[in-house]
Amino acid sequence: MPATFVTSLARTPMTAGLNAVALAAVLALAGCGGGGGEDSPPASGSLTLSGIVAARTAESARSIDVKCASGSGTATSNSDGSYTVTVTGGSLPCVLRAAGTTDGDLYSVAYGSGRTATANLTPLTQLVVASMAAGDPATFYGNFSADTAALVTAARVDAAVGTVQADLTARGIDATGVDNPVTAALVPAGTTQTGNTYGQVLAGLEANLTTAGMTLAQLTTAVVSASPAVRLPAALLSQPQASNCAALRSGPVRVVWLAPAGLKADGDFDTISRGAMDATALTLTADNGTVTRLSANGTCRYAGSTGLNGDPADAVVSQAGVMVMTSKINGVNRLGVALPEQALTLADLAGEFNMMNLEGSPAAGKTVTAKLGSAGDIVWARCFNEDVLARTCTTQGPPFAPVAADGRGGFTMRSIDPADPWTDRWFAYRTGSGDLMVLWIGSGGSWGVFTPNVARTLPTVGGSSRSWDMSMTMDRIASSTVFSESAFVTKSADAATDSYVRTRRNPLLVTDDSHDEKIQQNWPRNGYAHRPAGSSTTPTGTTINFREWVSLRLLGTGLSVTYSVPTATQAGVMSFGVTQ
């Protein structure tokens, strides 16, 4: 079996020393994803934000409060609605509030890089924030911190703008001509001036809302409902859909089996293939002509054969359009992932991300946090050599193996040691929320996933969900060729300890196996979740014992990857969960 990233790069000659080399190895096996861009400027300087506050017309003498990834500030709008605020020691992104306008408090965001940014505050920016946050703008503002700042990226704002524009059009509210309400040029209509296109849209908004029979508050709530955290990207919404699943759409897909790989004629791994999904006919036709036929087996679930050797397959689709599959491959149960193919660039990979991966010899679960630049360069990484449960970690800088675009699709990371060459493949997918996930795979079967480094928030008490589940051993062998299911209800939440208790059960069992488990948010580090080992009693009096695990939710995808920590008598287990 080829060496893993850690062992491969540990032999790479680098002046930074052994740990730096090992870090590069870990990074190579798990792609980075998400928005953001380059490092934020150092907090020693000043950040200047400016824009226009307008409801129907310019809003003068309104108090503007700003909270940034670092720093905060206040300002008062001028008679024409303009404002400028300087945040000493500030860094982007930021969230803004204009208090007491004609439409009540209005919210907006500022993002990008550098020392200046434009952020208008209008009813349209409020809708953009509602869509981006998939929730109440006031709550998003109140909870904003350095840990949640990664939610404000250009990609997420762009996705929210698209959702808002589509929702307004569907309601007969004309906002055409306003590209991005946050940054677009705005001249509010007034008694002494004629508004520009943006200003005219705002001036007519009240009449449009009256015609639609809504208030701005009601429209904001409606936009939240139209902006679930897990949703399809806009490009897929126009494609034909499966009759039993709105999330399964026609188009090109990339299929990756999480298993040891051989090489094809073009030098790519034989565990990677490309094909065309026909959601109406329920067929996946690979580029080599092999056809996989699916049959509906419930909502967003499918049975079929892999097309490789006729073995049965079970496949489920998340609401973001990601398919997770299990089948026998060469007689061994394997797990695979199919991502809708997109034309993404190295710049799309820039940002700070958390990773969960399976690698090493012997294999084990690993967690790493890393920052990727816009040219495929790894800026820094931490926790590359620590235990999966480590609370604090060492941060290491470059040099690292670079990432490059691959003409066969996706991206490639190659060893920088001529004496120990290796190649690994990354595939990225941006969801409808603007979040990016990256799936990495190596020839030896090592694999990993990246998701933006964003703090987890506590779930709503009484909220429920249901998932499809599949686990695999450290040898990359799936536990079954049929997904199991789990149902969850949040029982209580404790903000002081950032933890919650949920009731879990298997909805397919006749006997009620409901039992409680406590989940610690942002543990061992920001963005991860942790369940300590424990036991709980079911309604029938049966004791359920459960293992310790660390879990990473792939933001915006409806997927989570969980590593059950090995014990003296039990090996580690890696699991996928797909929210139904």
Side-chain angles (χ1 to χ4, degrees):
M1 176 182 291
T4 66
F5 276 125
V6 170
T7 56
S8 295
L9 289 182
R11 295 194 297 272
T12 304
M14 292 186 183
T15 58
L18 178 61
N19 283 347
V21 185
L23 166 59
V26 173
L27 290 173
L29 60 64
C32 297
E38 300 295 332
D39 282 333
S40 296
S44 57
S46 295
L47 173 67
T48 301
L49 307 180
S50 60
I52 304 293
V53 184
R56 306 294 180 265
T57 59
E59 295 280 341
S60 64
R62 302 305 184 192
S63 176
I64 296 126
D65 300 300
V66 179
K67 298 166 67 174
C68 299
S70 64
S72 60
T74 61
T76 302
S77 62
N78 300 312
S79 59
D80 61 355
S82 65
Y83 78 91
T84 299
V85 59
T86 299
V87 181
T88 302
S91 61
L92 294 167
C94 307
V95 62
L96 302 87
R97 176 182 64 190
T101 76
T102 304
D103 279 325
D105 293 353
L106 295 176
Y107 297 88
S108 189
V109 291
Y111 55 96
S113 60
R115 284 284 160 214
T116 62
T118 299
N120 298 315
L121 290 110
T122 73
L124 296 186
T125 66
Q126 167 140 320
L127 298 177
V128 170
V129 175
S131 178
M132 185 195 68
D136 176 38
T139 301
F140 182 72
Y141 175 87
N143 293 336
F144 188 82
S145 68
D147 289 337
T148 58
L151 286 171
V152 183
T153 67
R156 288 179 61 84
V157 172
D158 288 345
V161 169
T163 298
V164 169
Q165 289 173 337
D167 189 80
L168 292 178
T169 299
R171 297 178 188 280
I173 299 176
D174 184 10
T176 56
V178 182
D179 183 18
N180 183 340
V182 174
T183 58
L186 170 57
V187 179
T191 56
T192 61
Q193 65 185 12
T194 301
N196 66 355
T197 299
Y198 193 170
Q200 293 297 327
V201 167
L202 294 179
L205 184 59
E206 185 170 7
N208 280 322
L209 287 174
T210 299
T211 300
M214 305 184 78
T215 64
L216 178 61
Q218 290 171 328
L219 180 57
T220 301
T221 300
V223 166
V224 171
S225 297
S227 308
V230 180
R231 59 187 187 268
L232 289 174
L236 283 181
L237 291 174
S238 60
Q239 301 303 311
Q241 69 178 61
S243 60
N244 70 321
C245 184
L248 181 61
R249 302 291 177 128
S250 295
V253 297
R254 179 69 61 166
V255 178
V256 180
W257 289 96
L258 308 181
L263 293 179
K264 297 185 291 188
D266 65 355
D268 211 354
F269 300 159
D270 61 6
T271 50
I272 298 171
S273 62
R274 184 180 182 277
M277 174 66 69
D278 186 327
T280 304
L282 292 182
T283 59
L284 174 59
T285 304
D287 282 352
N288 65 5
T290 302
V291 178
T292 298
R293 302 187 183 281
L294 303 174
S295 60
N297 186 28
T299 302
C300 292
R301 185 170 185 173
Y302 302 90
S305 70
T306 61
L308 298 176
N309 51 20
D311 284 319
D314 193 14
V316 296
V317 181
S318 83
Q319 294 309 297
V322 179
M323 178 179 283
V324 181
M325 310 160 292
T326 179
S327 182
K328 285 187 180 296
I329 305 295
N330 296 324
V332 180
N333 293 348
R334 298 296 189 188
L335 194 64
V337 179
L339 301 173
E341 199 164 53
Q342 297 171 325
L344 299 175
T345 67
L346 286 173
D348 290 309
L349 302 181
E352 183 178 323
F353 309 95
N354 286 328
M355 140 177 129
M356 180 78 77
N357 67 296
L358 175 62
E359 54 88 15
S361 181
K366 297 288 184 179
T367 57
V368 174
T369 299
K371 188 172 186 68
L372 199 69
S374 61
D377 55 305
I378 296 167
V379 181
W380 55 257
R382 65 174 69 103
C383 307
F384 57 89
N385 217 20
E386 279 87 353
D387 184 82
V388 70
L389 299 177
R391 300 298 312 278
T392 59
C393 304
T394 303
T395 299
Q396 183 68 55
F400 305 121
V403 183
D406 193 303
R408 298 167 298 191
F411 306 90
T412 296
M413 177 178 258
R414 289 186 172 87
S415 167
I416 53 178
D417 180 7
D420 186 17
W422 50 261
T423 299
D424 297 303
R425 298 282 274 122
W426 297 13
F427 296 98
Y429 177 59
R430 192 178 297 285
T431 70
S433 62
D435 295 305
L436 196 77
M437 71 163 282
V438 175
L439 173 66
W440 166 94
I441 187 167
S443 61
S446 296
W447 59 269
V449 289
F450 257 55
T451 190
N453 179 11
V454 176
R456 297 174 67 107
T457 57
L458 289 172
T460 301
V461 174
S464 62
S465 64
R466 188 161 168 161
S467 68
W468 293 294
D469 310 298
M470 180 60 63
S471 62
M472 68 163 58
T473 68
M474 297 296 94
D475 294 323
R476 291 79 173 171
I477 299 174
S479 58
S480 174
T481 56
V482 178
F483 285 89
S484 61
E485 297 190 38
S486 298
F488 307 94
V489 176
T490 302
K491 188 174 181 180
S492 62
D494 185 349
T497 61
D498 200 17
S499 64
Y500 67 98
V501 175
R502 68 182 184 185
T503 300
R504 178 176 188 156
R505 68 181 179 87
N506 183 341
L508 304 181
L509 293 180
V510 175
T511 302
D512 187 358
D513 71 340
S514 298
H515 58 281
D516 292 344
E517 53 186 19
K518 182 178 181 179
I519 309 299
Q520 180 70 54
Q521 298 279 68
N522 302 302
W523 202 100
R525 300 181 298 277
N526 189 65
Y528 294 92
H530 174 254
R531 183 187 72 181
S535 62
S536 183
T537 304
T538 71
T540 60
T542 302
T543 298
I544 300 289
N545 297 309
F546 43 81
R547 298 176 59 175
E548 180 179 27
W549 55 236
V550 176
S551 184
L552 182 64
R553 176 191 59 193
L554 306 187
L555 205 64
T557 67
L559 275 62
S560 61
V561 180
T562 300
Y563 177 56
S564 295
V565 179
T567 68
T569 58
Q570 296 172 301
V573 174
M574 196 71 83
S575 305
F576 268 80
V578 182
T579 301
Q580 299 182 20

